[in-house]
Amino acid sequence: MSGRISIIGLGPGNILQRTPQATQVLEQVTDLVGYGPYVQRVEAPHHVIRHSSDNRVEAERARHALEMASAGRHVGVVSGGDAGVFAMASAVFEQVQLGPDTWRTLDIEVIPGVSAVLAAAAALGAPLGGDFCVMSLSDNLKPWLVVLRRLQLAAEAGFVIALYNPRSQARPWQLGEALLHLRQFVPLHTPVAFARAIGRPDEAVRITSIEEADADLADMSTLVLIGCAASRLIERPSGHQPWFYTLRSVVAE
Amino acid sequence: MSGRISIIGLGPGNILQRTPQATQVLEQVTDLVGYGPYVQRVEAPHHVIRHSSDNRVEAERARHALEMASAGRHVGVVSGGDAGVFAMASAVFEQVQLGPDTWRTLDIEVIPGVSAVLAAAAALGAPLGGDFCVMSLSDNLKPWLVVLRRLQLAAEAGFVIALYNPRSQARPWQLGEALLHLRQFVPLHTPVAFARAIGRPDEAVRITSIEEADADLADMSTLVLIGCAASRLIERPSGHQPWFYTLRSVVAE
């Protein structure tokens, strides 16, 4: 079977943070599949057919890509950030496993990108200086009790915690509960950052503490970073936000 | 103070995976600071002064960069992968906090890059499909007992675990002990991948299980990825390694 799928991480909003590899592959595809805003915005030659879909139909979208590749097309499946982090790569491989054996003979490649968590960290300083974990706060794909247990274990481990999907219209209360939960396991002065729309014109960063953190600071475009005992803020001259970084060494609580 | 520091993530070995932003900044710096092989290899205009240093002198190197920036230079501090993940960004901010107040007025920016863990994941399939953690296995900056405890908590949380610095000449036994330790907390068939020199000409990937994993497969250039209960392998036609991915949904053990 000669079809091909390139699962492409577009990087954060700033196109200067998209890799040349991603840009090259976008020039070679015949079809683009993905969440509407990404598929519509991305630069691609005129002959490329754009197949936009809704945010919640990853499995269907992945099957569509696989079917087109089976028919000999070169399908680009696009995600913001990195395609392997809470994005389309897993959804495609899930469908390969469920689908006909011939799908296993397709040429499927994943083109990595600068993920949202790395872009957010860079905008803040160096909050990921030690060991860290990356979690989705959505309870669409896992029970909420599993989310809470993971947060506790991550805090007990001393990981910095990066939260994707902290809040949406359909999930308005989860972040508030998660922050309350974490206050039991980390010091109240632990730094917390809300990094919104990093790399886009409306980029905004807010740094506070787990004690003061207000879930209303987050929306669907926000990544939330929760420090650990080794996290520090460096105060700067007025008009500048502090730098948020984490010591490379483990420190006693 | 008009000096400037750009802490630059060069991305993995493949230059097509370096962002245009990193490439642009490399053309603007007056000085380059970093681990010798990175500083020597990176493309930069002829007038740029290259200050190579050894692998183990991050604090000294960071102070040197800050002193040069204080004298008005534009210093590029380079790291492979992403500069914020077990690389130079934290070392620089640590020295800012310890140094004179004037260092807080410097213009310090972090340019994110495709980290080794994202490049390794892309080469394997989609192993980071669910929640995951990223740890350094080095016990240079934290006690070994802390490493073991974090591994246990990460496994109990159901995180996929990415291990940086799994092995070096000075740390030959740690990875073997870590793998033995993890066998108590994850099923024996859990997939484990050794991703070596990703993006470089000598790139090599090996996929096995936690039961069969042999620490001798790792060296200083290897990233080790340990799956979770939701991780799967997709067998493919002979001559192809299986795809390693993790379901987006949490599954019961």
Side-chain angles (χ1 to χ4, degrees), chain A residues 145-179:
Chain A
L145 287 177
V146 170
V147 176
L148 291 180
R149 178 169 153 76
R150 289 183 173 185
L151 289 170
Q152 175 178 347
L153 292 167
E156 288 175 352
F159 291 147
V160 170
I161 302 171
L163 296 178
Y164 279 65
N165 307 318
R167 192 185 175 111
S168 72
Q169 283 197 316
R171 295 181 293 101
W173 55 265
Q174 282 84 341
L175 178 59
E177 187 166 318
L179 291 169

Side-chain angles (χ1 to χ4, degrees), chain A residues 205-216:
Chain A
V205 164
R206 176 75 175 271
I207 297 174
T208 176
S209 66
I210 189 91
E211 184 171 24
E212 305 278 342
D214 177 356
D216 285 342

Side-chain angles (χ1 to χ4, degrees), chain A residues 40-76:
Chain A
Q40 294 310 323
R41 256 189 254 138
V42 83
E43 314 69 33
H46 276 298
H47 65 266
V48 171
I49 306 175
R50 296 170 192 258
H51 310 265
S52 296
S53 47
D54 198 287
N55 206 0
R56 295 263 194 122
V57 294
E58 287 93 349
E60 189 183 310
R61 190 192 293 159
R63 277 195 304 273
H64 185 205
L66 286 156
E67 284 158 6
M68 286 193 288
S70 296
R73 313 284 296 174
H74 179 184
V75 185

Side-chain angles (χ1 to χ4, degrees), chain B residues 60-103:
Chain B
E60 189 184 309
R61 189 193 293 160
R63 278 195 302 275
H64 185 204
L66 287 157
E67 284 158 6
M68 287 192 287
S70 297
R73 313 283 296 174
H74 179 184
V75 185
V77 178
V78 291
S79 292
D82 180 83
V85 178
F86 307 121
M88 282 301 296
S90 285
V92 170
F93 289 108
E94 282 173 13
Q95 295 306 313
V96 171
Q97 191 146 56
L98 295 169
D101 281 353
T102 51
W103 284 1

Side-chain angles (χ1 to χ4, degrees), chain A residues 5-248:
Chain A
I5 295 189
S6 300
I7 308 170
I8 305 165
L10 297 175
N14 181 346
I15 196 166
L16 288 174
Q17 293 177 344
R18 180 175 307 163
T19 69
Q21 188 182 35
T23 301
Q24 278 186 10
V25 173
L26 286 169
E27 286 160 8
Q28 296 163 2
V29 298
T30 59
D31 298 77
L32 276 175
V33 166
Y35 175 46
Y38 294 125
V39 167
Q40 294 310 323
R41 256 189 254 138
V42 83
E43 314 69 33
H46 276 298
H47 65 266
V48 171
I49 306 175
R50 296 170 192 258
H51 310 265
S52 296
S53 47
D54 198 287
N55 206 0
R56 295 263 194 122
V57 294
E58 287 93 349
E60 189 183 310
R61 190 192 293 159
R63 277 195 304 273
H64 185 205
L66 286 156
E67 284 158 6
M68 286 193 288
S70 296
R73 313 284 296 174
H74 179 184
V75 185
V77 179
V78 293
S79 291
D82 180 82
V85 178
F86 307 122
M88 281 302 295
S90 286
V92 170
F93 289 108
E94 282 173 12
Q95 295 307 314
V96 171
Q97 192 147 55
L98 295 169
D101 281 353
T102 51
W103 284 1
R104 299 178 183 215
T105 66
L106 290 168
D107 179 6
I108 304 181
E109 62 175 358
V110 182
I111 310 292
V114 173
S115 59
V117 60
L118 297 183
L124 292 161
L128 307 179
D131 299 332
F132 64 95
C133 69
V134 179
M135 292 179 56
S136 169
L137 205 66
S138 169
D139 53 354
N140 290 335
L141 295 169
K142 62 191 171 221
W144 181 243
L145 287 177
V146 170
V147 176
L148 291 180
R149 178 169 153 76
R150 289 183 173 185
L151 289 170
Q152 175 178 347
L153 292 167
E156 288 175 352
F159 291 147
V160 170
I161 302 171
L163 296 178
Y164 279 65
N165 307 318
R167 192 185 175 111
S168 72
Q169 283 197 316
R171 295 181 293 101
W173 55 265
Q174 282 84 341
L175 178 59
E177 187 166 318
L179 291 169
L180 267 177
H181 185 63
L182 281 169
R183 275 171 226 181
Q184 303 172 65
F185 310 109
V186 302
L188 289 179
H189 62 268
T190 301
V192 174
F194 295 80
R196 200 184 161 280
I198 297 298
R200 302 211 308 251
D202 51 338
E203 171 177 322
V205 164
R206 176 75 175 271
I207 297 174
T208 176
S209 66
I210 189 91
E211 184 171 24
E212 305 278 342
D214 177 356
D216 285 342
L217 293 170
D219 65 10
M220 263 185 61
S221 303
T222 306
L223 195 128
V224 180
L225 269 164
I226 296 145
C228 66
S231 296
R232 300 284 182 272
L233 299 182
I234 302 179
E235 296 301 332
R236 295 168 66 203
S238 65
H240 295 276
Q241 62 164 1
W243 283 311
F244 174 2
Y245 80 102
T246 299
L247 297 167
R248 296 169 301 147

